[in-house]
Amino acid sequence: MKTINIQSDKKDNSLKRRDFLKKAWKVLGLVLMAELALFVFDIIRPSRKEEIISGNGELKDLGHVNDFSLGSVTPDRANKLFVVRQGDGGFMVLSLSCTHLGCAVLWNGEKQQFICPCHKSVFDMMGNVLSSPAPRALDYFPVHIEAGRLRADLSQKVQRKKYSINQVTYAV
Amino acid sequence: MHDTNSTIKKKIPCFGFILHLHPRKVNPSVLRFHLTFGLGGMAALLVAVQAVTGLLLKFHYVPTPQGAYNSILNLQETLLFGKMLRSIHHWGAILLIWVVFLHLLRVVFTGAYRKPRHSNWHIGLLLFILVVFSNFTGYLLPWDQLSYWAITISTNLIGFIPFGGSWLKEVLLGGTEVGRATLTKFYNLHTGIIPFSMLILMAYHFWHVRKAGGVVVAEEFKYLDNIDTNPHLVAREFVVALVLLAVLFFLGSVFDAPLRDRANPAMSPDPAKAPWYFMGLQELLIHFHPFIVVVFFPLVLLFAALGLPYFIKKDKLYGIWFISSNGKKAAVYAMFFGILITLFFILADEFLPGPEIVAPNLPTWITSGVLPLTVSLIAVYSFLRYLKKKYLLNRAGIVQTFIVFLVAAYSILTITGIFFRGKGMSLVWPW
């Protein structure tokens, strides 16, 4: 039906066509910008592939249950964690990153406290905050005990406000 | 004058280009060293020095967690002047932060941010942020204990931004913690994206200075006849440049850039500190909730700085330090107030029983958030009101006094953080 118009008023229609082309260019420009934005975004965003390659998704064997005495805290610096064994035999695996700004907390055996060297945060043996600025208890890793071997899922760092009994795993 | 021009031109390379950045004639009042202290020119020279030394360092640096530390050792121990090269880059970076910060203060306190210079004020702010960010990304590259943990605690700060803070942190780090992806990212930002952006913005910055007719001229000097830039201004700039280079080379050859043990992600040094220019923030973090330190203060400051040219009416109070003698007195007052009240807050937080003990049931966003913030804001507000009455300050005067207060307070926080925080970040005497 456009052809009819062209015959009736050539000038007016060429303008319409020009308008259409101008708009088309604009739309194409926007599409290009969106594609570029997506492309750049994909480049700068954190890649998940690396974690898969580094094999963090597996259960990490931390030793035999009997290696850890009752009421002890054992640092495992290679895996950036502490193995906490409570007096009643329950296990917790705590991340050593302070929940404030990520410094590696230190275990003070005398005071039975975790102390962060960066901003003086203090945690008890269960990871509860005793002194701010840390906003929440130390993160922990889920623990699985199979055939006396203590294993932790290091790919899942669990955040929590406070310690509760269901975060503890017992050797059956 | 034409003769001197052509003779110098023959002797100094790129002289035509340097002249091109200047107006042909300038008001004699802008030649006074104490108007600008040559800070803008110094910043430009330091950026050039950082570019040259940085490009040389790039020949030997290996941007991987395995190779970075060794490549620095190698550079320092086997290369002729390798250690000095790195030290000059190190001191140049520190001087650059100082110089751009002082340049910013100079612009504020001589009222040079006002229209028609407001666009350049914004570009300058952007450049300032880029300088800090450039310094910050460079801090990680040696991959020693100092750099690893400084970047860890600084980037964890970003995680406290509500809605998307942890996502932003992951984007910056390329993961959940400082690692190979972070180093790649920071290396690219430090040696590519930031310098490139700075180069473009600097050209824009210089062009704006020229467009505004050069440096700000006070009303009282406007009647003076302009004099030739060459040699009057150029010769002075040349002296400043030589002195600055001498200081930089002296620092670089006498004081080595620090290098601690190789980064160990499992062991924070005690105490672990942020880069020195963020130590004021880290000190604030001991006293305030992270949300206030990381989100509230920076955002308020940034928007206040951006809006400054629109908040202050167009008047003739520019080109003079601190507006008037009353303004100067108020500024001195504010400086002492800033120093004393900050010291008082730090000591009170250290020795008085904390709110956790007095009222253990209150959540932390009240005890270390709303409560200390309200107390400090009321203290500052009443002090400013008092100064306003005492010295009959106008709006520009109050803003300026407040900025003096902020600078004094941040300086005290920074000094405390750097020198008076020892093991476990507790207060200690440094000697």
Side-chain angles (χ1 to χ4, degrees):
Chain A
M1 54 186 185
K2 293 269 174 192
T3 47
I4 304 163
N5 280 337
I6 285 167
Q7 280 163 350
S8 63
D9 191 347
K10 216 175 183 180
K11 196 183 169 192
D12 196 27
N13 259 284
S14 70
L15 266 180
K16 265 185 195 163
R17 190 190 295 141
R18 191 171 293 171
D19 283 347
F20 169 76
L21 284 174
K22 271 184 188 165
K23 270 180 196 157
W25 275 117
K26 274 178 194 160
V27 171
L28 276 176
L30 284 176
V31 170
L32 180 71
M33 297 285 271
E35 276 176 3
L36 270 177
L38 264 177
F39 169 69
V40 171
F41 175 75
D42 198 60
I43 283 180
I44 62 168
R45 92 197 155 106
S47 79
R48 301 276 166 199
K49 274 179 198 158
E50 215 166 302
E51 286 169 30
I52 297 163
I53 293 166
S54 69
N56 272 350
E58 307 159 17
L59 290 179
K60 192 89 189 175
D61 193 327
L62 301 174
H64 195 269
V65 174
N66 294 339
D67 295 347
F68 306 96
S69 54
L70 294 179
S72 72
V73 172
T74 316
D76 181 347
R77 299 224 161 255
N79 293 313
K80 300 177 71 176
L81 53 85
F82 288 101
V83 178
V84 177
R85 187 160 199 200
Q86 301 179 353
D88 62 358
F91 278 99
M92 276 190 93
V93 173
L94 301 179
S95 157
L96 59 65
S97 300
C98 178
T99 52
H100 180 226
L101 292 178
C103 288
V105 296
L106 302 165
W107 172 249
N108 184 327
E110 254 170 62
K111 292 183 182 168
Q112 294 281 299
Q113 288 171 341
F114 294 103
I115 296 167
C116 178
C118 295
H119 297 88
K120 298 202 283 184
S121 294
V122 181
F123 306 86
D124 68 9
M125 195 174 163
M126 304 293 111
N128 278 323
V129 181
L130 293 179
S131 172
S132 55
R136 53 170 208 277
L138 289 172
D139 300 339
Y140 70 96
F141 300 105
V143 172
H144 304 270
I145 298 172
E146 291 161 21
R149 302 300 299 181
L150 180 70
R151 292 192 172 91
D153 184 356
L154 299 189
S155 65
Q156 280 191 60
K157 212 189 229 183
V158 185
Q159 298 191 355
R160 55 178 178 159
K161 202 80 194 160
K162 268 184 197 168
Y163 162 77
S164 85
I165 187 72
N166 54 24
Q167 295 157 0
V168 183
T169 312
Y170 290 88
V172 185
Chain B
M1 208 35 66
H2 182 259
D3 283 339
T4 19
N5 190 347
S6 51
T7 45
I8 294 178
K9 223 177 203 169
K10 271 175 209 157
K11 281 173 194 164
I12 305 173
C14 310
F15 191 72
F17 173 71
I18 292 170
L19 269 191
H20 169 75
L21 294 175
H22 294 81
R24 206 172 61 78
K25 281 172 178 284
V26 288
N27 188 292
S29 74
V30 304
L31 297 181
R32 294 165 307 149
F33 186 61
H34 64 261
L35 176 68
T36 63
F37 295 99
L39 289 161
M42 283 194 211
L45 178 63
L46 282 171
V47 168
V49 171
Q50 291 306 90
V52 171
T53 50
L55 284 172
L56 289 175
L57 287 168
K58 254 172 90 102
F59 278 116
H60 285 269
Y61 180 71
V62 180
T64 62
Q66 293 78 27
Y69 186 74
N70 281 349
S71 73
I72 301 275
L73 285 182
N74 188 48
L75 172 102
Q76 295 199 150
E77 277 153 30
T78 62
L79 227 67
L80 184 65
F81 294 128
K83 201 173 210 173
M84 187 176 164
L85 180 66
R86 184 171 166 251
S87 298
I88 290 174
H89 196 69
H90 172 80
W91 285 107
I94 290 177
L95 281 181
L96 184 59
I97 290 252
W98 271 100
V99 165
V100 290
F101 182 62
L102 293 174
H103 180 53
L104 186 145
L105 289 185
R106 192 281 290 175
V107 167
V108 170
F109 293 139
T110 57
Y113 54 86
R114 283 169 219 187
K115 288 177 187 172
R117 289 180 168 78
H118 57 288
S119 317
N120 219 15
W121 164 249
H122 292 147
I123 296 167
L125 280 176
L126 206 56
L127 273 167
F128 178 67
I129 293 169
L130 280 179
V131 165
V132 172
F133 199 47
S134 162
N135 209 305
F136 179 68
T137 46
Y139 210 90
L140 180 68
L141 303 189
W143 205 255
D144 63 345
Q145 277 291 72
L146 198 66
S147 56
Y148 182 89
W149 289 101
I151 302 304
T152 298
I153 52 182
S154 311
T155 47
N156 265 302
L157 286 179
I158 299 167
F160 280 103
I161 300 171
F163 312 116
S166 52
W167 179 81
L168 196 65
K169 182 187 128 192
E170 269 190 49
V171 169
L172 195 63
L173 291 184
T176 49
E177 51 192 47
V178 178
R180 192 198 56 74
T182 320
L183 188 56
T184 308
K185 218 162 253 200
F186 276 37
Y187 179 67
N188 186 23
L189 285 167
H190 185 76
T191 61
I193 291 171
I194 297 172
F196 184 69
S197 319
M198 273 171 69
L199 194 69
I200 290 170
L201 282 174
M202 277 167 70
Y204 210 33
H205 200 60
F206 296 160
W207 175 68
H208 266 293
V209 175
R210 279 221 54 185
K211 221 178 93 178
V215 178
V216 66
V217 178
E219 205 67 19
E220 56 173 320
F221 295 118
K222 282 210 171 136
Y223 73 93
L224 290 172
D225 284 333
N226 284 354
I227 55 174
D228 283 307
T229 300
N230 180 28
H232 298 288
L233 178 59
V234 179
R236 281 167 170 81
E237 286 177 334
F238 195 60
V239 173
V240 170
L242 283 183
V243 171
L244 179 67
L245 284 181
V247 168
L248 183 60
F249 276 65
F250 174 78
L251 287 172
S253 49
V254 175
F255 303 104
D256 292 336
L259 188 68
R260 305 274 180 84
D261 294 337
R262 177 198 294 273
N264 177 1
M267 195 69 165
S268 312
D270 185 8
K273 294 187 176 183
W276 62 272
Y277 39 85
F278 286 150
M279 274 317 291
L281 284 181
Q282 198 182 349
E283 177 63 31
L284 266 184
L285 273 170
I286 299 178
H287 312 287
F288 284 100
H289 192 272
F291 176 79
I292 291 180
V293 180
V294 186
V295 185
F296 183 76
F297 283 152
L299 277 187
V300 168
L301 263 186
L302 181 67
F303 281 106
L306 287 175
L308 198 57
Y310 311 104
F311 184 67
I312 309 285
K313 280 180 223 127
K314 196 172 156 73
D315 55 28
K316 295 191 171 171
L317 301 169
Y318 44 77
I320 314 154
W321 278 87
F322 298 109
I323 300 173
S324 62
S325 63
N326 261 5
K328 267 180 207 156
K329 279 179 204 156
V332 172
Y333 239 91
M335 187 184 79
F336 281 114
F337 176 74
I339 292 171
L340 288 177
I341 198 164
T342 313
L343 282 178
F344 174 76
F345 264 95
I346 292 171
L347 292 174
D349 204 16
E350 183 77 10
F351 295 114
L352 295 180
E356 295 110 332
I357 295 157
V358 179
N361 294 327
L362 287 175
T364 49
W365 65 267
I366 293 180
T367 56
S368 68
V370 178
L371 201 70
L373 184 66
T374 318
V375 173
S376 1
L377 287 183
I378 288 174
V380 173
Y381 179 75
S382 8
F383 175 72
L384 284 178
R385 272 196 73 111
Y386 164 74
L387 277 190
K388 185 189 172 186
K389 269 192 192 152
K390 182 168 179 177
Y391 292 112
L392 306 167
L393 297 175
N394 61 0
R395 198 186 251 190
I398 294 167
V399 167
Q400 161 191 297
T401 315
F402 181 58
I403 294 170
V404 172
F405 164 79
L406 283 183
V407 172
Y410 193 77
S411 308
I412 289 298
L413 289 169
T414 307
I415 291 168
T416 310
I418 294 175
F419 298 109
F420 294 92
R421 291 278 172 194
K423 274 199 176 303
M425 289 307 276
S426 47
L427 282 180
V428 289
W429 285 108
W431 50 83

